[in-house]
Amino acid sequence: MSIGHTLLGLLESGPRHGYDLKRAFDERFGHDRPLHYGQVYSTMSRLLKNGLVEVDGIEPGGGPERKRYAITDAGITDVEQWLASPEKPEPYLQSTLYTKVVLALLTHRDATELLDRQRSEHLRLMRELTRRKTSGDLADQLICDHALFHLEADLRWLELTAARLDALASEVRA
């Protein structure tokens, strides 16, 4: 996810302080990975340097001064271009899981056990996401569905790999 573009998009509704941007980001997008304040302020500094935001006001506070940021026309254009550009599909052609299976086979370890443990972990996470999905709002349901679909694809791969394990072992050990 492009944090810079996301913060710019949040600024389109009006100027905000870094604290407000972090809170809005975490509320909408940071359920599993909330932003750190340092990440917000370093991103805002970069956006300011690149002319995509401007300081709309500075207010004294109990600590450091609070800057209020506003998106510039260049920032709006940048968000529009980002939203119009399709994301590159992630094909996972060289996954860690594949690497572990091949290394297990090369080192004469039990790859079947590795696949079984991974399947159990995928199923555990799928149960957790399904529980979260049933009690979540629509945005949370969509996020969980996205993750569940990816986990289902991984499970299909685990099953296919388990079925081909002997052939793969012969191939990698040759």
Side-chain angles (χ1 to χ4, degrees):
M1 172 187 322
S2 170
I3 293 170
H5 286 111
T6 306
L7 294 176
L8 284 172
L10 291 171
L11 282 172
E12 283 202 49
S13 64
R16 296 182 189 208
H17 297 97
Y19 174 83
D20 297 329
L21 284 168
K22 180 200 176 338
R23 193 176 69 234
F25 181 97
D26 289 351
E27 190 177 289
R28 292 279 182 203
F29 311 108
H31 295 275
D32 296 316
R33 273 192 258 160
L35 284 179
H36 296 285
Y37 284 104
Q39 194 172 11
V40 172
Y41 293 111
S42 64
T43 301
M44 295 312 296
S45 178
R46 189 181 74 251
L47 295 172
L48 185 63
K49 180 181 154 197
N50 293 334
L52 302 175
V53 298
E54 60 191 8
V55 175
D56 187 56
I58 298 177
E59 300 168 6
E65 294 179 327
R66 294 180 53 187
K67 292 179 184 175
R68 189 175 55 244
Y69 298 96
I71 192 168
T72 62
D73 290 340
I76 292 170
T77 300
D78 199 56
V79 171
E80 286 173 351
Q81 290 172 348
W82 179 66
L83 291 173
S85 301
E87 288 297 307
K88 180 181 177 198
E90 297 289 333
Y92 303 108
L93 290 178
Q94 197 64 357
S95 76
T96 303
L97 188 53
Y98 169 78
T99 302
K100 284 184 169 187
V101 169
V102 171
L103 283 175
L105 293 171
L106 284 172
T107 59
H108 300 279
R109 288 185 170 90
D110 190 354
T112 302
E113 187 178 316
L114 182 153
L115 292 169
D116 288 343
R117 280 193 309 269
Q118 192 62 51
R119 185 181 305 104
S120 293
E121 183 60 19
H122 270 63
L123 291 170
R124 182 200 62 75
L125 182 55
M126 289 175 83
R127 285 189 298 273
E128 183 181 311
L129 288 167
T130 301
R131 278 192 298 274
R132 177 176 160 184
K133 180 179 155 178
T134 58
S135 62
D137 61 9
L138 181 58
D140 213 31
Q141 291 170 17
L142 289 170
I143 290 168
C144 289
D145 280 339
H146 186 263
L148 285 164
F149 293 148
H150 282 274
L151 290 168
E152 286 174 5
D154 285 351
L155 281 175
R156 287 194 309 268
W157 182 86
L158 290 167
E159 294 302 322
L160 179 66
T161 302
R164 295 178 173 175
L165 211 49
D166 289 338
L168 181 62
S170 297
E171 202 171 290
V172 299
R173 291 176 183 157

